[in-house]
Amino acid sequence: MAIQERAVKEVAVDTGTPAGPVWRGAGLGTQLWVLTARQIRSMYGDRRLALFSLMQPVIMLLLLSEIFGSMADPADFPQGVRYIDYVVPALLVTTGIGSAQGAGVGLVRDMDNGMVARFRVLPARLFLVLVARSLADLVRVFTELVVLVAVGVVLLDFRPAGGVWGTSAALLLTLFVIWSLIWGFIALAAWLRSVEVMSSLAVLVMFPLMFASSAFVPLDALPEWLRSVAHLNPVTYAVDSARRLALDWDPGWSVPGALLTSTALMAVGMYVAGRSFRRPPNE
């Protein structure tokens, strides 16, 4: 009551006309929940779009496992490891990369259609709009990866040596890595503010990251020049970390390295996104 009385006094006019209580906005937790729920409803509002987003990783899994798997030389792969068990942990990472770029494109569309302008005049923390976007896209990625693993288990006999726990650990690690990439794309979107540029940049970045890595074949099977590029590719280390967990190999420094680099990327992405998002719309 005391808080309400102070709010009323602050907005009372000089004529003495009593003013009503002023709504100063909900708490941070409530704001984040409402904004995240709105983003999730927006993503899955069109069931056709939701179905297509779930079909894409499944199609990639079927194509890569059957085409590359039929051509793969067992001598090039670790002894006793089937190609399906080798490639699924990699597809967790590459699928997440493809989905992460959608976070940036979606943010630019919200900025273009006036949704962000509405948020600017509400008593809401603008940075929470970005956090909600990242969390909603992370939920979407999680759903896609679970479907991917389920299809691999049911249709392609995906049975990694790490079992359920190893696969779950690989999934959690992948989600953290992808969350950092989502923040990277959100930062680019808040800075560039162009759907066309974001879409072109996403394609330009995504395919080299996916194929110039150890995702689909061991590094020793790549040409020497491409192997050098793959050694510098952060996706190689994310894939190796997820693969080691799923296949129950010694993780060594790969898992801590993937977590540290992802944490650094997320911190930079959050900072750049927050600074760029506060710029006026026309700047």
Side-chain angles (χ1 to χ4, degrees):
M1 292 298 294
I3 296 176
Q4 287 184 343
E5 290 176 359
R6 285 198 299 270
V8 170
K9 291 178 181 178
E10 289 173 0
V11 297
V13 294
D14 294 337
T15 57
T17 305
V22 176
W23 181 63
R24 300 187 179 280
L28 296 182
T30 302
Q31 290 184 34
L32 182 59
W33 171 260
V34 171
L35 291 170
T36 304
R38 175 210 164 258
Q39 293 290 354
I40 294 176
R41 287 195 303 269
S42 176
M43 290 177 182
Y44 292 101
D46 190 335
R47 295 181 181 179
R48 297 167 298 180
L49 183 60
L51 178 62
F52 293 154
S53 68
L54 293 177
M55 287 176 58
Q56 289 178 4
V58 172
I59 292 173
M60 287 290 293
L61 171 62
L62 295 176
L63 289 176
L64 291 175
S65 63
E66 296 303 310
I67 295 176
F68 283 11
S70 63
M71 297 187 300
D73 185 355
D76 292 333
F77 293 85
Q79 186 176 5
V81 177
R82 301 176 305 155
Y83 187 73
I84 185 63
D85 296 334
Y86 183 86
V87 78
V88 167
L91 282 175
L92 294 178
V93 178
T94 57
T95 297
I97 293 173
S99 300
Q101 58 92 18
V105 174
L107 177 61
V108 175
R109 286 175 177 163
D110 277 350
M111 296 173 76
D112 287 342
N113 63 23
M115 183 58 66
V116 171
R118 298 175 188 175
F119 289 140
R120 290 181 184 275
V121 299
L122 292 176
R125 297 290 182 90
L126 275 181
F127 187 71
L128 292 183
V129 176
L130 302 180
V131 177
R133 162 66 63 179
S134 74
L135 292 177
D137 279 277
L138 192 65
V139 170
R140 177 168 57 88
V141 172
F142 174 74
T143 305
E144 293 174 358
L145 297 188
V146 169
V147 171
L148 177 69
V149 172
V151 171
V153 171
V154 174
L155 297 183
L156 302 175
D157 196 32
F158 172 57
R159 297 289 189 277
V164 175
W165 292 109
T167 304
S168 299
L171 179 60
L172 291 176
L173 174 70
T174 300
L175 287 174
F176 188 76
V177 172
I178 299 306
W179 196 19
S180 70
L181 291 176
I182 287 173
W183 273 107
F185 281 109
I186 287 176
L188 286 174
W191 177 44
L192 297 173
R193 303 187 178 189
S194 170
V195 173
E196 292 78 11
V197 175
M198 280 299 303
S199 299
S200 300
L201 182 63
V203 174
L204 183 65
V205 171
M206 184 173 63
F207 283 100
L209 286 177
M210 288 173 56
F211 290 101
S213 70
S214 62
F216 306 118
V217 295
L219 293 181
D220 293 338
L222 297 174
E224 185 174 354
W225 70 270
L226 190 56
R227 190 185 315 150
S228 301
V229 175
H231 277 300
L232 300 175
N233 187 348
V235 173
T236 294
Y237 300 98
V239 167
D240 287 346
S241 300
R243 186 173 284 144
R244 286 176 178 274
L245 292 172
L247 297 177
D248 198 26
W249 294 346
D250 181 12
W253 286 99
S254 62
V255 173
L259 293 175
L260 287 175
T261 53
S262 297
T263 302
L265 175 60
M266 188 182 302
V268 172
M270 286 182 173
Y271 175 78
V272 174
R275 289 290 299 272
S276 301
F277 195 59
R278 284 196 294 269
R279 285 180 10 230
N282 296 326
E283 288 189 6

